[in-house]
Amino acid sequence: MAVLKDDTLPIRTSEDVVRVRKEVRVQAIAAGFGIVDQTKIITAASELARNTLDYGGGGTARLELVQNGARKGLRLTFEDKGPGIPDLQLALTDGYTTGGGLGLGLSGAKRLSNEFDIHSVVGEGTRITIARWK
Amino acid sequence: MDRIPILKLGRALLVTVQVDMHDRLAMALEEDLSEKIVATNARGVLIDISGLEIVDSFMGRMLDNIAAVSRLLDADTVVVGMRPAVAITLVELGLSLTGVKTALNVDRGMALIGTGFGAHDGADDDGVGSEDTDGRVEG
Ligand SMILES: Nc1ncnc2c1ncn2[C@@H]1O[C@H](COP(=O)(O)OP(=O)(O)O)[C@@H](O)[C@H]1O
Ligand SMILES: [Mg+2]
């Protein structure tokens, strides 16, 4: 699998979350995504970027434009050195929130992606990778 | 600090969300709207999101909150102009926005609120063109 483009953006403020959305949109268009696929991956990115900010205490978003044979896709990695998630299954349950949210960010981002991988260690941080293919 | 403009349209308030709102702007909108509902005696709030390319759960919660607060202040909230791709994505996200009414455009949204135009309330009808008088009756 070839990586055609690879950028890492900081997530420190809510303006950074907006910037991540914009950049994901640019990459989704570059990947040839139609409007629905664009909307899904931007929405998933928005959820995860916000979690990185709100729960992870800030971190980074890595945006990779990837190609697998004839297929292009977008792989996004959100990483923080925050408190980590003690119970992943619980965190991925619709409606579960510790921050007064709707509890749909993680589970929703998973539904909106073709691939979803989460790695979290309490006291060390969280890394979530999603991918969506054209 | 930036603010999202709130226009008076008959007995409703119209908010057009065009920019990609960051959190502070969204919070300010919630506050501004509730104050303005009371100050203007508005019976409805129209939130035009046709310019929004996504609605995430943060924005969805904000729309739900605005609807809930408006309801307590005796005003209906109608979200208008949601893009089809946004609707599809919201459903998959798991957010069905059950607390808010939706309409395809501002005209239909106004009809839903049942504010009507002209007739009984001329003085309040600033910003409403006379071409908007046909076919918009409540019920
Ligand atoms: N990066 C993260 N670091 C630590 N905890 C997280 C992180 N992301 C999510 N969580 C936890 O998972 C829960 C569910 O997240 P989410 O589904 O996005 O819902 P919400 O953001 O509405 O709380 C959060 O309330 C939080 O407890
Ligand atoms: Mg979240």
Side-chain angles (χ1 to χ4, degrees):
Chain A
M1 181 161 49
V3 178
L4 306 177
K5 201 165 188 308
D6 187 344
D7 288 320
T8 299
L9 306 177
I11 303 175
R12 305 239 163 278
T13 65
S14 78
E15 283 85 353
D16 288 340
V17 175
V18 173
R19 211 161 299 131
V20 167
R21 285 203 291 259
K22 287 202 172 116
E23 195 53 37
V24 169
R25 179 168 183 270
V26 169
Q27 297 305 329
I29 290 170
F33 285 10
I35 189 69
V36 172
D37 284 337
Q38 280 176 42
T39 306
K40 287 182 178 179
I41 189 88
I42 299 168
T43 305
S46 185
E47 294 294 344
L48 298 178
R50 191 180 302 283
N51 283 352
T52 299
L53 179 66
D54 289 350
Y55 302 114
T60 53
R62 182 176 182 189
L63 283 52
E64 293 170 283
L65 178 61
V66 290
Q67 180 146 17
N68 200 351
R71 282 178 104 195
K72 279 187 183 160
L74 220 54
R75 187 167 56 203
L76 311 177
T77 304
F78 297 84
E79 198 161 6
D80 65 63
K81 294 190 164 37
I85 302 173
D87 186 338
L88 286 180
Q89 209 182 332
L90 189 59
L92 275 159
T93 306
D94 274 355
Y96 177 80
T97 178
T98 58
L102 292 177
L104 292 173
L106 284 179
S107 52
K110 186 175 183 185
R111 281 190 290 270
L112 292 169
S113 309
N114 298 132
E115 292 165 28
F116 182 93
D117 179 66
I118 184 165
H119 179 77
S120 190
V121 178
V122 172
E124 287 182 21
T126 300
R127 186 182 67 234
I128 298 175
T129 302
I130 60 172
R132 191 164 177 99
W133 296 94
K134 196 191 168 205
Chain B
M1 181 178 138
D2 289 349
R3 284 297 220 255
I4 295 179
I6 301 172
L7 300 178
K8 196 153 182 294
L9 187 68
R11 299 204 62 194
L13 299 175
L14 173 66
V15 180
T16 303
V17 183
Q18 269 169 338
V19 289
D20 201 349
M21 276 203 285
H22 53 79
D23 307 9
R24 263 186 294 114
L25 202 54
M27 310 286 234
L29 176 62
E30 254 180 79
E31 273 182 41
D32 290 352
L33 257 180
S34 41
E35 279 167 23
K36 203 131 187 196
I37 288 171
V38 174
T40 64
N41 231 330
R43 303 311 306 272
V45 175
L46 295 176
I47 304 176
D48 185 351
I49 61 163
S50 58
L52 282 189
E53 63 192 23
I54 70 144
V55 172
D56 62 7
S57 67
F58 177 84
M59 182 70 80
R61 185 170 60 133
M62 187 200 76
L63 294 174
D64 258 337
N65 282 352
I66 288 175
V69 172
S70 303
R71 205 174 303 125
L72 288 178
L73 298 174
D74 198 22
D76 289 325
T77 300
V78 184
V79 170
V80 304
M82 185 184 293
R83 297 181 184 186
V86 170
I88 291 167
T89 301
L90 273 181
V91 170
E92 201 158 324
L93 187 64
L95 230 168
S96 44
L97 291 183
T98 41
V100 300
K101 290 182 188 167
T102 55
L104 288 182
N105 55 44
V106 171
D107 276 358
R108 291 206 198 178
M110 286 300 282
L112 212 50
I113 282 175
T115 40
F117 289 89
H120 53 281
D121 210 14
D124 278 337
D125 279 348
D126 44 303
V128 179
S130 54
E131 74 277 12
D132 281 329
T133 47
D134 55 308
R136 203 156 305 97
V137 283
E138 46 266 88

